[in-house]
């Protein structure tokens, strides 16, 4: 519900999870007043600092805005904190301010055109939306702030339109999608950071003096930082404590920061990065959408809010209730060393261990036998597949598997037919030698003709192969990111126009092939964000497939993404990335609660391992509806506890997660203890999350033992000290006392 009080000029956005309140103060500035648990009533008169300063009201220049928590403030006219965007106005000055001019309660939510936000057929309940109009008193700039709150979600969706109201050109840099000032308090920062093969590790550190900022300038949201930043109370943990979190529905460069102010408050800002947009008079720029969450239920509370928002509002609806197929992917099984016979053998072997989908990875097209050529030439390699892609796919299907295909459409190899025909289709800055990464350049997706070409290629291969799955990869960062056809003035917009082009292309593919599941991939998890989630019900979370390394990656990824969206494949040992020898059972358990599959050649396994994996495929099929519909919780003690990896007497802490299915009718518990230590007693893993409220009785399916929910919660499940590293177990609990 959105309430506007004309006297106080206050806006109160409220549903059963949250209240978000701001008002136009005496000076006309928009002041942020409250974001937290839902409030019945409030009075800005009691809260705002303005009334105390009534006497100063008519005085211009006005009081410093420094004391006021702001809603969306610019730098330079009384506010010296980092502005919600930076500007170069037509007269060359950079200072501006925004004053309230009016608002409109919208009948329907409005989303930034051309950018992913919430799908039209969302299931988030009734939506309430408001547009607030702000204007610089000199008329240089107008800004429309958009807010949408849905009945069934704590997530507040924000974005802005920035309009050049002046007579000359304006340069606009990195406008935030949201930049509220949070109240004075002690805060810890929480972010998901890493690198290739180490994506989205949870990082937590105290916010002290000085701004903290993360972002990407690489043309993709990137491996280094997820486009996400949260501020939590120092006491917050998985299940308790307040936090404010923001994530961006955007897959390109971004910037997120926390800037403490002089009074203990902090500006939390998130938005596009690497942008310098040239706005001519009257022209506007739309920021990507950001999702904001406040919760008092700790990191699990935040994750549940994001998970359900993605499921009910963002991920393609066709796949909402569609179990993810058990997958076998050819990459680590054979890399580029493929032909029809090898592929069909792998497919048959995959089917024998229970796979349902075969994904033909890199190496199938044109003359591609290594990573030195052919990106852009999207037709089957005639030497490897003389009867074409259609015949190959048919043969895979005859072996009982659906057929899926890897593509990397955004790229071009200098050694390709496409590059010989269109040498000017790659991003480039004339006069600069383009840096190749993995021997490839990036196509200029801001150009219509490039997108048309790619769409035709994709349509052809999808029609020819009748593939039901497309792994959409993107394996290099951008450099020399210029687009000569855009002209001199607009070079600073290249990477954003690229993203708009990418979304347009993805949308076209989705509309033409709505039943084809897209898997988002960028050198593993290098572009995993809420922007791509609008097109991809599944992500390849990392190229790191080791059963232990994956724990931290999946743990951190689950802060934002629900488990069915995280591709997790069992790979061979020694692991190809780290050489570790994790037992097959533990590797399979690491993957089991996610979108499960294989990244190995079963022909190279022992008969025992093959039958073990067949059994695990079957287990996944039994639990995957629960994965898809259940609620995912991390148990206390995992990597989010500020790196505290040791328990009593130096015992290793477990990493554990639990899926609550059907409001607690069933619980799926996964526990991992990577390293064994000597001379320790058994420990007990307390189910600190996931249990239903009130008393309940559960039967553990393996032993048949009965547990009360209080025993599970307060004493825990016994974890015996088994010798050997990389131990893992899975327990399934079925509620016994339902209805009694
Ligand atoms: C990237 C992906 C891998 C694989 C290779 C193929 O690295 O993350 O899964 O598809 O490309 O070249």
């Amino acid at each position: 519900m959105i309430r506007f009080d004309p006297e106080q000029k206050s806006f109160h956005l409220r549903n059963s999870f949250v209240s978000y309140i701001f008002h136009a103060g005496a000076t006309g500035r928009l002041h942020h007043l409250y974001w937290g648990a839902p409030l019945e009533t409030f009075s800005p008169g009691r809260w705002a600092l303005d009334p105390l300063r009534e006497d100063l009201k008519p005085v211009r220049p006005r009081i410093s805005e420094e004391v006021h928590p702001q809603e969306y403030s610019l730098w330079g006219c009384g506010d010296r904190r980092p502005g919600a965007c930076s500007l170069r106005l037509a007269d060359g000055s950079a200072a501006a301010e925004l004053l309230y001019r009016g608002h409109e309660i919208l009948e329907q939510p409005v989303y930034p055109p051309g950018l992913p936000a919430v799908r039209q057929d969302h299931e988030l309940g009734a939506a309430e939306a408001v547009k607030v109009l702000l204007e610089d008193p000199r008329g240089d700039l107008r800004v429309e702030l958009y807010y949408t709150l849905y009945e069934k979600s704590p997530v507040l969706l924000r974005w802005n339109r920035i309009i050049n109201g002046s007579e000359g050109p304006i340069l606009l840099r990195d406008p935030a999608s949201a930049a509220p000032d949070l109240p004075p308090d002690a805060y810890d920062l929480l972010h998901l950071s890493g690198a290739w093969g180490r994506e989205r590790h949870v990082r937590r550190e105290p916010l002290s003096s000085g701004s903290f900022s993360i972002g990407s300038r690489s043309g993709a949201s990137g491996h280094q930082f997820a486009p996400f930043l949260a501020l939590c109370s120092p006491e917050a943990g998985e299940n308790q404590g307040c936090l404010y979190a923001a994530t961006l529905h955007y897959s390109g460069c971004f910037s997120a920061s926390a800037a403490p102010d002089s009074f203990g408050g902090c500006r939390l800002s998130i938005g596009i990065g690497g942008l310098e947009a040239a706005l001519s008079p009257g022209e506007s720029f739309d920021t990507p959408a950001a999702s904001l969450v406040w919760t008092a239920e700790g990191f699990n509370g935040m994750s549940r809010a994001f998970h359900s928002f993605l499921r009910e509002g963002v991920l393609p609806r066709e796949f909402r209730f569609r179990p993810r197929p058990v997958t076998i992917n050819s990459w680590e099984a054979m890399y580029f060393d493929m032909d029809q016979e090898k592929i069909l053998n792998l497919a048959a072997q995959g089917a024998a261990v229970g796979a349902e989908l075969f994904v033909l990875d890199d190496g199938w097209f044109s003359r591609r036998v290594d990573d030195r050529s052919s990106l852009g030439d999207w037709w089957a390699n005639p030497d490897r597949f003389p009867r074409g892609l259609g015949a190959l796919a048919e043969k895979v299907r005859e072996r009982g598997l659906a057929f899926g295909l890897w593509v990397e459409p955004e790229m071009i190899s200098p050694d390709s037919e496409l590059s010989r025909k269109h040498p000017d289709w790659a991003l480039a800055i004339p006069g600069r030698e383009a840096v190749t990464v993995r021997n490839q350049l990036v196509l200029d997706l801001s150009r219509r003709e490039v997108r048309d070409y790619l769409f035709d290629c994709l349509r052809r291969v999808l029609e020819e192969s009748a593939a039901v799955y497309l792994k959409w990869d993107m394996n290099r960062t951008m450099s020399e990111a210029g687009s000569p056809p855009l002209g001199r003035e607009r070079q600073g917009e290249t990477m954003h126009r690229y993203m708009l082009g990418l979304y347009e292309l993805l949308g076209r593919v989705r509309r033409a092939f709505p039943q084809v599941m897209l898997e988002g991939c960028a050198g593993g998890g290098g572009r995993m964000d809420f922007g791509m989630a609008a097109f991809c019900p599944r992500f390849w979370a990392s190229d790191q497939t080791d059963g232990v390394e994956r724990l931290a990656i999946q743990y951190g990824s689950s802060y934002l993404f629900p488990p069915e969206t995280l591709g997790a494949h069992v790979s061979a040992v020694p692991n190809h990335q780290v050489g570790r020898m994790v037992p097959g059972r533990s590797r399979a358990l690491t993957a089991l609660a996610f979108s499960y599959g294989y990244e190995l050649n079963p022909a190279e396994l022992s008969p025992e391992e093959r039958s073990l994996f067949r059994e695990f495929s079957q287990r996944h099929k039994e639990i995957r509806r629960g994965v898809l519909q259940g609620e995912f919780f991390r148990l206390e003690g995992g990597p989010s506890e500020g790196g505290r990896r040791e328990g009593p007497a130096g015992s290793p802490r477990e990493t554990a997660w639990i899926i609550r299915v059907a409001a607690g009718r069933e619980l799926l518990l996964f526990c991992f203890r990577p390293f064994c230590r000597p001379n320790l007693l058994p420990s007990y893993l307390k189910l600190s999350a996931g249990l239903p409220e009130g008393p309940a009785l559960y039967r553990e399916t393996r032993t048949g033992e009965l547990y009360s929910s209080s025993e599970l919660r307060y004493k825990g499940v016994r974890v015996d000290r088994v010798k050997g590293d990389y131990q893992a177990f899975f327990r399934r609990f079925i509620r016994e006392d339902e209805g009694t």
Side-chain angles (χ1 to χ4, degrees), residues 286-524:
D286 295 334
T287 71
S291 273
L292 311 182
V293 165
W294 171 87
T295 177
E297 291 173 19
F299 313 143
N300 274 320
M302 170 193 77
S303 299
R304 286 170 65 210
F306 282 138
H307 292 183
S308 60
F309 193 70
L310 277 183
R311 284 172 167 176
E312 316 304 347
V314 177
L315 294 163
R317 191 164 181 194
E318 289 85 353
F319 302 98
R320 170 67 185 96
F321 292 110
R322 195 177 300 178
R324 306 296 188 260
V326 175
T327 300
I328 182 154
N329 180 294
S330 67
W331 183 238
E332 286 195 23
M334 55 179 61
Y335 295 102
F336 289 107
D337 181 17
M338 60 170 66
D339 58 28
Q340 169 139 331
E341 199 188 325
K342 287 182 183 150
I343 295 290
L344 295 180
N345 280 339
L346 183 63
Q349 290 282 338
V353 294
E356 301 159 298
L357 167 72
F358 181 85
V359 179
L360 179 57
D361 210 284
D362 199 353
W364 62 267
F365 51 97
S366 186
R367 293 179 298 101
R368 182 126 162 133
V369 291
D370 53 33
D371 64 13
R372 282 179 296 187
S373 80
S374 304
L375 291 165
D377 300 346
W378 298 109
W379 52 84
N381 180 323
D383 301 330
R384 293 181 160 187
F385 308 109
R387 280 184 297 252
L389 201 54
L392 176 74
E394 202 43 51
K395 291 236 171 303
V396 167
R397 282 189 283 272
E398 279 165 19
R399 281 154 184 78
L401 296 114
F403 184 76
L405 204 57
W406 175 95
V407 287
E408 198 182 353
E410 298 158 66
M411 296 294 148
I412 181 165
S413 307
D415 180 8
S416 65
E417 302 283 311
L418 184 65
S419 180
R420 282 182 279 278
K421 211 162 152 197
H422 296 289
D424 62 330
W425 274 13
L427 290 174
I429 299 176
R432 287 198 189 281
E433 195 180 337
V435 171
T436 54
V437 177
R438 213 189 184 211
N439 308 304
Q440 62 201 54
L441 298 171
V442 184
L443 281 169
D444 183 355
L445 262 66
S446 72
R447 293 171 68 163
R448 178 94 211 176
E449 63 276 29
V450 174
R451 300 198 300 272
D452 288 347
Y453 168 78
L454 293 174
F455 179 74
D456 278 349
C457 290
L458 294 169
R459 186 174 44 71
R460 217 173 335 98
V461 293
L462 285 172
E463 279 171 3
E464 191 185 338
S465 65
V468 294
Y469 190 94
L470 201 61
K471 177 176 174 186
W472 186 299
D473 207 345
M474 193 277 202
N475 274 319
R476 67 156 289 180
T477 53
M478 292 181 193
S479 63
E480 297 79 38
S483 174
L486 284 179
R488 188 186 160 279
E489 300 300 320
R490 303 209 175 268
Q491 288 306 305
E493 298 166 28
T494 307
M495 288 192 280
H496 178 58
R497 286 174 179 261
Y498 176 98
M499 290 314 304
L500 293 173
L502 173 65
Y503 291 137
E504 191 269 339
L505 178 62
L506 283 163
R508 243 200 278 179
V509 172
R510 283 271 308 124
R511 281 192 300 281
F513 300 94
Q515 300 307 329
V516 171
M517 188 188 290
L518 298 187
E519 177 183 29
C521 177

Side-chain angles (χ1 to χ4, degrees), residues 74 85 87-93 96 98 134-136 138-144 160-172 175 277-286 489-490 493:
L74 301 179
C85 62
L87 294 162
R88 177 71 57 202
L89 300 174
D91 67 356
S93 66
L98 295 171
L134 306 178
E135 196 177 14
D136 179 80
R138 223 175 62 167
D140 288 24
L141 205 66
R142 290 198 305 280
V143 176
E144 298 172 0
N160 312 300
R161 172 166 294 161
I162 292 145
I163 306 153
N164 179 357
S166 72
E167 313 253 291
I170 286 184
L171 266 189
L172 171 70
L279 302 184
S280 33
E283 208 181 345
S284 61
F285 181 85
D286 295 334
E489 300 300 320
R490 303 209 175 268
E493 298 166 28

Side-chain angles (χ1 to χ4, degrees), residues 226-245:
F228 157 81
L229 186 60
L231 287 167
C232 63
S233 69
E235 303 76 42
E238 287 293 356
N239 302 310
Q240 74 291 325
C242 286
L243 81 132
Y244 305 92

